[in-house]
Amino acid sequence: MLVVLITAVGTMIFRQHPRARTALTVAGAVGYAGTVAALAWTIVLAPDAPGIATYQVGGHRAPYGITLVADGLSAFMLATVAAVALASAVFSVGYVSNIDYDRRTFYNPLFHFLLLGVTGAFLTGDLFNLFVWFEVMLMASYVFVAYYGGPQHTRAALWYVALNLVASAVFLLAVGGIYATTGTLNMADLAERLADPDAYGIDAGPVVGLFALLLSVFALKAGLVPFQFWIPTAYRAAPPPITAILAGATKKVGIYAIVRLSFTVFAGAQIGVSLEIPGTGIGIAGDTPLAFVGPVLFAMGALSIVVGGLGAIDRDTLEGVLAYSSIGQMGFIAVPVAIAATTASDELRRLAILAALVYALNHALAKGLLFLTAGAVRTATGTIRFDELGGLAGRAPALSSAFFVGSLALIGIPPLSGFFGKFLVFDTAVQANAAGTVALLLAGSLLTIAYLTRAWNRSFWGARTSAVAEGAADPLQVAVLVALAATVLAVGVGFDPVYEFAEAAAEAALDRDGYVDAVDPENGGENP
């Protein structure tokens, strides 16, 4: 967090010195990736790693002070973001140089403030500061959606801001309600109180409704149906390197929050759930809030797969296909999380969370690669419309190969990273004996093949258009794409350590007692 904050401030100080500002941006992204790698190794992956570490900001003891927590889950998400952020930062070097001076001066600081918000959301240990870091992330993204200042960008920004302001109000309302109900917002303290409400003299019943409000907010951040409306316009309006961050990082914050709160915080609450749709006899019943989370999240995930897949098929631009594809691909992450919430098997729950995390990693890498490729195509040809593209494979083979690798990873072709993510998601559905879910996932996979094949044929295959013949790809951008494509391949070929990392992340998400003991509100939140 300090690395990215110092970088953001430094780029503002050097706003009159473009080369220094650019060098600082890249150095900051490299430093961020390095610190994330060091954190992941020290806390999770090293032979003597403790598995979790806490820090009380200012030395104020939990649950009264601000708690930062790094465990397997947060480290895994940070590593995912760091890979995409580094590629986007280097890609931005050439991209920003083609933008007018006024916009160039605030691009780099906002890039790092966006990254700061994402990082804070992954590391915070209390609900109110989760809200704060969401707002830091959103304020930077508001500017990027309206970045170019045209009518369509202003319209997209207005819609994006309006939706997120409503979501922020709902978020704050839920946080206030949880504090009024339980008397705490520290996640570890909250988990402890919900697990034994009588000992703390609280009525935990309202928490189910308040958590439903939080779930709607996180679903909007993740872009799940029916909260997906902002995605196509916002993704088309923002600069491509930022769109890669929005798809690869900020949407994962929503999924992270759902997993963290559902399984680390609320899963231990013994609260009876009994909800029924009037006049239908259809209802939800159970003894924990997960009984509500599972069916609702599954419905949103299933609809996302269908709506996103069908929406991507008939788009007329490369970015349009990728934007709707992001909606569908988030469904593949939400469905295993829903299975984890509904199953009574600890082994299946762990497999489901593992599957969701591996798929989230692949989505971040592959979709980041594809959005950056779309940006490189726009830079080279001046367009991303299918009716103006064609023959890119012969004109720019390296750029085209990067798109091809990203597409195959999203489809799930071995030995790329996407194969393992998709295999684990299907395995989760099979282990749950959910034939309908398997059919849904298969239909979503076929839709993925259909719209990516169409995008390839319309953009990279066929007769070479005048825009393609006269264009030239930026060498730095192509180098970034090749490096990211190599990363996608490397994750697949060397999947064993990635699997171990994701397995540690899944175990951390489900280890409520370990999380509570590490933060240890009654003993000052000191490390074991």
Side-chain angles (χ1 to χ4, degrees):
M1 291 175 67
L2 287 176
V3 168
V4 74
L5 178 60
I6 291 171
T7 304
V9 174
T11 54
M12 289 191 290
I13 294 174
F14 289 103
R15 64 184 182 276
Q16 302 295 336
H17 305 279
R19 291 186 177 181
R21 186 179 66 236
T22 298
L24 184 58
T25 293
V26 175
V30 172
Y32 177 78
T35 53
V36 167
L39 182 145
W41 173 257
T42 304
I43 304 301
V44 183
L45 301 176
D48 58 345
I52 186 170
T54 65
Y55 176 71
Q56 298 299 137
V57 178
H60 301 289
R61 61 173 293 179
Y64 311 106
I66 297 173
T67 303
L68 300 178
V69 184
D71 64 358
L73 179 59
S74 55
F76 185 85
M77 301 306 294
L78 285 172
T80 300
V81 169
V84 180
L86 179 58
S88 296
V90 178
F91 188 94
S92 297
V93 171
Y95 190 85
V96 174
S97 64
N98 298 319
I99 301 174
D100 64 77
Y101 176 79
D102 289 338
R103 290 186 175 89
R104 286 203 306 269
T105 57
F106 60 80
Y107 180 96
N108 298 116
L110 284 173
F111 179 95
H112 290 282
F113 279 121
L114 177 62
L115 195 55
L116 176 64
V118 172
T119 306
F122 287 145
L123 292 174
T124 186
D126 69 87
L127 276 178
F128 181 75
N129 281 284
L130 181 63
F131 166 79
V132 171
W133 291 117
F134 263 77
E135 293 306 300
V136 172
M137 178 180 71
L138 286 172
M139 283 189 287
S141 63
Y142 291 155
V143 181
F144 279 126
V145 174
Y147 190 71
Y148 294 109
Q152 70 273 26
H153 308 101
T154 304
R155 190 161 50 245
L158 179 62
W159 183 235
Y160 182 63
V161 171
L163 278 177
N164 280 284
L165 285 178
V166 172
S168 296
V170 173
F171 195 165
L172 200 56
L173 178 65
V175 168
I178 289 174
Y179 183 74
T181 301
T182 65
T184 186
L185 292 176
N186 181 281
M187 292 183 191
D189 196 25
L190 181 59
E192 198 168 27
R193 294 187 180 212
L194 290 176
D196 191 8
D198 293 337
Y200 293 91
I202 62 175
D203 177 13
V207 167
V208 176
L210 295 168
F211 186 43
L213 294 180
L214 289 177
L215 184 62
S216 67
V217 173
F218 301 148
L220 187 146
K221 308 301 183 187
L224 294 170
V225 174
F227 307 105
Q228 84 287 1
F229 300 103
W230 61 273
I231 291 178
T233 54
Y235 281 17
R236 288 195 298 266
I242 302 304
T243 304
I245 293 289
L246 294 177
T250 61
K251 291 180 76 171
K252 304 307 179 294
V253 175
I255 291 294
Y256 166 83
I258 292 173
V259 172
R260 174 64 80 194
L261 293 182
S262 296
F263 300 101
T264 308
V265 178
F266 290 99
Q270 297 300 309
I271 305 172
V273 177
S274 181
L275 303 172
E276 182 176 327
I277 302 175
T280 65
I282 300 174
I284 298 172
D287 57 2
T288 76
L290 294 183
F292 168 79
V293 172
V296 172
L297 190 60
F298 180 83
M300 290 191 289
L303 288 172
S304 297
I305 290 174
V306 175
V307 171
L310 293 176
I313 285 179
D314 65 345
R315 297 301 102 186
D316 56 3
T317 67
L318 200 55
E319 287 179 351
V321 169
L322 299 179
Y324 274 92
S325 169
S326 287
I327 299 171
Q329 295 301 312
M330 292 305 294
F332 280 91
I333 302 172
V335 165
V337 176
I339 293 175
T342 55
T343 183
S345 167
D346 292 338
E347 184 177 351
L348 179 57
R349 179 169 291 175
R350 186 176 293 103
L351 173 63
I353 298 298
L354 170 65
L357 293 175
V358 172
Y359 202 98
L361 170 64
N362 173 68
H363 178 260
L365 295 176
K367 192 53 65 69
L369 173 59
L370 292 173
F371 273 116
L372 291 179
T373 303
V377 171
R378 184 190 289 274
T379 299
T381 65
T383 183
I384 52 169
R385 293 187 60 84
F386 290 142
D387 56 4
E388 298 174 354
L389 293 174
L392 269 168
R395 176 63 173 165
L399 185 154
S400 303
S401 297
F403 185 89
F404 191 66
V405 169
S407 298
L408 293 181
L410 213 58
I411 292 170
I413 302 299
L416 302 175
S417 59
F419 168 75
F420 297 99
K422 190 149 288 186
F423 173 81
L424 289 169
V425 171
F426 271 93
D427 189 32
T428 299
V430 171
Q431 295 293 332
N433 296 316
T437 302
V438 173
L440 169 71
L441 297 173
L442 181 59
S445 299
L446 293 175
L447 287 172
T448 304
I449 295 173
Y451 61 68
L452 287 175
T453 299
R454 177 175 176 268
W456 172 265
N457 290 337
R458 297 289 300 274
S459 300
F460 299 90
W461 216 244
R464 188 177 300 176
T465 63
S466 59
V468 172
E470 297 170 3
D474 182 276
L476 178 60
Q477 293 180 1
V478 172
V480 172
L481 298 178
V482 170
L484 195 51
T487 302
V488 170
L489 178 60
V491 169
V493 173
F495 185 67
D496 281 349
V498 176
Y499 181 88
E500 293 175 3
F501 194 4
E503 191 173 38
E507 291 175 356
L510 299 174
D511 187 8
R512 183 180 61 85
D513 292 337
Y515 188 89
V516 171
D517 291 342
V519 177
D520 198 7
E522 294 187 0
N523 293 320
E526 296 178 357
N527 287 317

